[in-house]
Each structure stands twice: as C-alpha cells, then as structure tokens.
C-alpha cells in the first residue's frame, strides 16, 4: 500500500493550561530578579519573611513557588508601595511594614488601594490596566496576572 507524503503542520500548538503555568512561572522568576534591583525591595525577598507570609491565613496556595511568592508579597501591600516609590514620584507612598501581614488584611488592602490610586493618578495608568483589590485577593491567577 502506498502512502502519500505526510504534511507537517507548522502551526504552533494551542496555548494550554500547562503552557500558561510555565509561562507565568517563568515570568514570576524574571520579575523576582528584576525586583531585587528596586531600592529597598530586597527586604521583601527575605526567605524567612516569604515563609511566614506564604503559610499565613490569606495565602493563595501555601506553596513556595515564584508565582505564590509574588502573589503573597503583593497582597501585603507594602512591597507594592516600595515598587511605586522606586519610580521616585512626587508623593511617596507610606510603607507600613509593621502592620503589614496577611493576618491584618485590612491594613494590607489599604496599602494596595493607595498603590492602585497612585498608579492611576501619578503614573496615568488606565483603569482597565490596573488590577482591583478583589482581583488580587481572589484565588484566581487571571487577576494576579493583570
């Protein structure tokens, strides 16, 4: 029996959940490397702080992967203020490290709120380009990616 030559399909495979996770994982690794260069941010990359925060009551999964590390850090709010202040804005955001822990979620959410407002006002981000507090605190990576 003769077979016709097989055509090779050069269309890339569809984006699957596995590819999305790998991509998000790698993006978070790259972001952690970049954040290490933000003035005063290295304190938030301290392994002990990360461990305490990751295993707190509002941690997304409790795992110690780069995605979860960043997600937990951003939920603290203070690291977001540190990132914003790295832009040297006219008005610095207050960084409340003392009360910022996921066991005091209202303080964290207040810091996140001030970060979002500052990004919109000072950096002129569009509303649709900025995550909401609810998106950051949901256990859904779609809001986190934003």
């Amino acid at each position: 029996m003769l077979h016709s030559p097989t055509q090779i399909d050069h269309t890339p495979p569809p984006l699957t959940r596995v590819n999305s996770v790998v991509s998000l994982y790698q993006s978070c690794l790259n972001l952690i490397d970049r954040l290490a260069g933000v003035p005063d941010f290295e304190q938030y990359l301290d392994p002990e702080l990360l461990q305490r925060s990751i295993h707190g009551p509002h941690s997304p999964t409790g795992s110690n992967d780069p995605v979860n590390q960043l997600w937990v850090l951003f939920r603290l709010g203070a690291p977001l203020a540190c990132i914003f202040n790295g832009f040297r804005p006219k008005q610095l955001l207050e960084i409340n490290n003392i009360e910022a822990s996921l066991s005091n979620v209202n303080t964290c959410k207040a810091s996140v709120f001030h970060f979002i407002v500052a990004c919109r006002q000072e950096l002129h981000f569009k509303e649709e380009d900025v995550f909401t507090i609810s998106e950051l605190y949901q256990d859904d990576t779609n809001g986190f990616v934003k």
Side-chain angles (χ1 to χ4, degrees):
M1 176 179 232
L2 293 174
H3 295 284
S4 61
T6 306
Q7 288 188 350
I8 299 174
D9 184 7
H10 294 289
T11 307
L15 189 60
T16 64
R17 182 158 177 78
V18 173
N19 290 341
S20 296
V21 171
V22 171
S23 176
L24 180 57
Y25 183 94
Q26 189 60 49
S27 295
C28 288
L29 277 177
N30 294 339
L31 183 54
I32 287 171
D33 286 342
R34 291 176 56 202
L35 289 172
V38 173
D40 300 321
F41 198 85
E42 63 277 352
Q43 64 183 317
Y44 300 111
L45 299 176
D46 175 58
E48 288 182 30
L49 171 72
L50 288 171
Q51 283 300 326
R52 283 193 313 272
S53 299
I54 286 170
H55 297 293
H58 296 282
S59 172
T61 65
S63 68
N64 195 20
D65 64 84
V67 175
N68 195 52
Q69 289 175 356
L70 284 177
W71 204 342
V72 168
L73 283 177
F74 294 161
R75 285 179 173 188
L76 290 172
L80 292 174
C82 183
I83 293 168
F84 179 81
N85 290 346
F87 284 102
R88 297 189 175 133
K90 296 175 198 169
Q91 180 70 36
L92 295 175
L93 291 178
E94 179 183 339
I95 298 177
N96 190 349
N97 286 325
I98 296 171
E99 294 183 34
S101 76
L102 291 176
S103 61
N104 189 353
V105 74
N106 288 336
T107 299
C108 296
K109 286 182 177 182
S111 294
V112 171
F113 172 78
H114 293 298
F115 169 79
I116 292 168
V117 170
C119 285
R120 296 215 37 238
Q121 291 178 348
E122 183 86 21
L123 302 177
H124 308 290
F125 283 20
K126 296 177 185 172
E127 183 176 352
E128 62 269 11
D129 293 336
V130 181
F131 57 85
T132 65
I133 294 171
S134 297
E135 288 172 328
L136 183 60
Y137 284 87
Q138 288 176 352
D139 290 335
D140 177 6
T141 57
N142 291 323
F144 173 69
V145 169
K146 195 174 188 181

